[in-house]
Amino acid sequence: MRTPNLLCLALLLPVLSWAAPQAGSTKLDSESGITFVYIPSGCFNMGSSQGNADEQPEHQVCLEQGLWLGQTEVTQAQYLQVMGSNPSKFDEEGDNYPVERISWRKAAEMAEKLSTQTGKRYRLPSEAEWEYACTAAGQHDNYCGKGEIDDLAWYIDNSDETSQPVGEKEPNAWGLMDMSGNVREWLQDCWSPSYQGAPTDGSAWTSGDCNNRVLRGGSWSIEADKLRSTNRNRNDALSPSAIIGFRIALEP
């Protein structure tokens, strides 16, 4: 009887070892110094039928696999550790402030450098992954979390005209912070003026205007009505700004 039992256990162990973490589980990545939150696979309705034209049509997206997403935006200390420089406008405020004045190219370069150094797969999240994570698969209707916007985000009414340390506002249902405000975030996707023909599997949109890349989330200089979870923006991929940073995704 022992041999069949041991055989069954041997066959079961790989399944157990590859079981997906729970939504909102965290881990500290020693190579990057970034704390990641697990975002599970699943489906949600992306966009808004009541929003701006570029937020339409509302459509279902299903992420086929989970991913790890930075709990906060990449900080100045984390960027400096990997890239050896700190281009931020607010570079004298503290290591825990988000890195900004980063072009899309430089944000992608940090992910590529980490991937080369570690053998892991770091990248910028797709727009669909970002909105799915922000709303916690539809648990949040308006912002990236529940409650009053002042409790969730740094924006023009409470920021004192500067970025602020990451992780000081309330998290969303999966433990992600600063997605509604502080700095806007670069994503993988090329810009398209609507969701007509957008991918429905959670992948990045790689057609369209790739000289401009998608930005999501609010910033310290943005009004409250621009902090909605479905609000979209774009910027020239080569142009840095003091209101733009990024967060990193890590594939399982």
Side-chain angles (χ1 to χ4, degrees):
M1 295 295 290
R2 283 185 182 178
T3 302
N5 287 342
L6 289 173
L7 179 59
C8 290
L9 181 60
L11 292 172
L12 184 60
L13 280 174
V15 176
L16 293 174
S17 65
W18 284 101
Q22 293 292 312
S25 298
T26 61
K27 68 175 180 180
L28 176 62
D29 183 56
S30 59
E31 288 90 352
S32 63
I34 295 172
T35 296
F36 286 95
V37 174
Y38 187 71
I39 309 302
S41 60
C43 300
F44 80 116
N45 289 328
M46 184 174 181
S48 172
S49 59
Q50 307 300 317
N52 300 325
D54 62 6
E55 300 169 35
Q56 302 180 36
E58 185 175 343
H59 58 290
Q60 187 179 72
V61 173
C62 291
L63 279 68
E64 297 175 356
Q65 66 176 20
L67 72 153
W68 294 92
L69 187 62
Q71 187 173 43
T72 68
E73 295 144 342
V74 172
T75 67
Q76 294 180 26
Q78 290 162 350
Y79 188 85
L80 179 64
Q81 176 181 321
V82 177
M83 302 297 287
S85 63
N86 180 10
S88 303
K89 175 180 179 179
F90 304 111
D91 61 345
E92 296 182 358
E93 299 296 336
D95 289 346
N96 208 37
Y97 278 64
V99 68
E100 23 81 9
R101 287 208 303 202
I102 293 292
S103 68
W104 179 89
R105 184 68 56 82
K106 281 295 184 182
E109 186 179 319
M110 178 179 172
E112 291 169 5
K113 188 171 183 178
L114 278 169
S115 298
T116 299
Q117 290 175 344
T118 66
K120 300 177 184 179
R121 176 61 175 138
Y122 301 84
R123 56 175 173 81
L124 296 178
S126 72
E127 184 173 17
E129 289 169 341
W130 190 97
E131 188 173 319
Y132 174 75
C134 160
T135 64
Q139 294 184 58
H140 307 307
D141 294 331
N142 202 18
Y143 304 118
C144 301
K146 293 186 182 296
E148 299 298 324
I149 191 58
D150 281 272
D151 297 327
L152 297 171
W154 296 110
Y155 67 114
I156 195 168
D157 288 352
N158 64 8
S159 67
D160 295 326
E161 300 184 350
T162 179
S163 65
Q164 298 291 331
V166 302
E168 292 196 342
K169 293 295 186 178
E170 293 294 321
N172 77 350
W174 286 344
L176 295 162
M177 301 175 182
D178 296 311
M179 296 193 82
S180 292
N182 212 357
V183 290
R184 280 184 160 167
E185 300 177 19
W186 287 116
L187 300 175
Q188 283 190 55
D189 302 62
C190 302
W191 174 255
S192 292
S194 79
Y195 287 134
Q196 293 289 348
T200 58
D201 61 357
S203 61
W205 207 343
T206 56
S207 61
D209 178 9
C210 292
N211 291 321
N212 286 280
R213 297 286 176 157
V214 174
L215 294 169
R216 296 299 293 265
S219 83
W220 56 268
S221 70
I222 300 297
E223 297 82 3
D225 65 340
K226 304 284 197 309
L227 309 183
R228 294 179 298 105
S229 60
T230 57
N231 186 259
R232 306 176 70 219
N233 213 298
R234 66 190 185 278
N235 201 55
D236 186 302
L238 300 180
S239 297
S241 168
I243 68 170
I244 299 175
F246 66 108
R247 76 179 68 215
I248 291 251
L250 173 62
E251 295 183 357

